[in-house]
Amino acid sequence: MQIEYNNLYIHFVFTTFNRTKIILEKHRERIEKYITGIVNNKGCHLYRIYANAEHIHFLVSLNPKIDTESLATIVADSSERFINENKLCAGFFNWQQSCSAFSVSKGDVEKVCKYIMNQKEHHQSADYEQEHEQFLKFYQQTIQIQKKSCN
């Protein structure tokens, strides 16, 4: 069945292999622009992206013709190749074999965009591990609340 309208927002978080701080600030925007192009070429829309030294955040509205895992795999494989071919990192670059993908309601898109754009300031007080723990706690709490309201 053809989907006429969709409202599928996904907040992705990719981490570098072994969480090595390998993404250099001087190449951050180039990497972000490349990933934006990949997402747009798949019929999705990228709202915000920020590449930290060891992880990236990006928020997309997903094209219903591509599933979340396929988009993540395409972005990871293509960006690894791009970064390595253009020698944008010292040594060999690759992402972890898994990433996080969080669904976002339309009402929270602006809030998530602000969060992504404030990564530099955010990580002055919290490292990646602390941030990831906060995300998992928030989403687990949200799931528990939804389960209670469904009963």
Side-chain angles (χ1 to χ4, degrees), residues 140-151:
Q140 287 302 318
Q141 182 179 14
T142 302
I143 290 169
Q144 290 171 355
I145 290 169
Q146 288 173 344
K147 283 181 182 177
K148 286 180 185 178
S149 66
C150 291
N151 292 334

Side-chain angles (χ1 to χ4, degrees), residues 55-118:
H55 71 285
I56 64 167
H57 291 261
F58 58 103
L59 175 65
V60 304
S61 60
L62 198 60
N63 177 339
K65 294 181 181 178
I66 187 167
D67 64 87
T68 306
E69 187 172 346
S70 294
L71 181 61
T73 300
I74 291 165
V75 169
D77 292 348
S78 297
S79 61
E80 282 178 357
R81 194 168 34 259
F82 173 78
I83 292 167
N84 286 316
E85 286 174 357
N86 290 281
K87 300 182 183 353
L88 300 181
C89 292
F92 187 74
F93 178 85
N94 57 349
W95 299 111
Q96 294 275 39
Q97 290 298 306
S98 62
C99 70
S100 297
F102 302 99
S103 62
V104 175
S105 68
K106 186 172 184 159
D108 286 335
V109 166
E110 187 175 331
K111 183 170 84 173
V112 174
C113 286
K114 286 179 184 176
Y115 177 80
I116 291 171
M117 294 315 297
N118 284 325

Side-chain angles (χ1 to χ4, degrees), residues 26-45:
K26 67 182 180 180
H27 298 303
R28 181 179 60 78
E29 284 188 39
R30 189 169 176 199
I31 293 167
E32 291 170 353
K33 285 178 182 178
Y34 185 79
I35 291 171
T36 300
I38 297 167
V39 170
N40 291 340
N41 285 336
K42 292 298 169 189
C44 302
H45 177 75

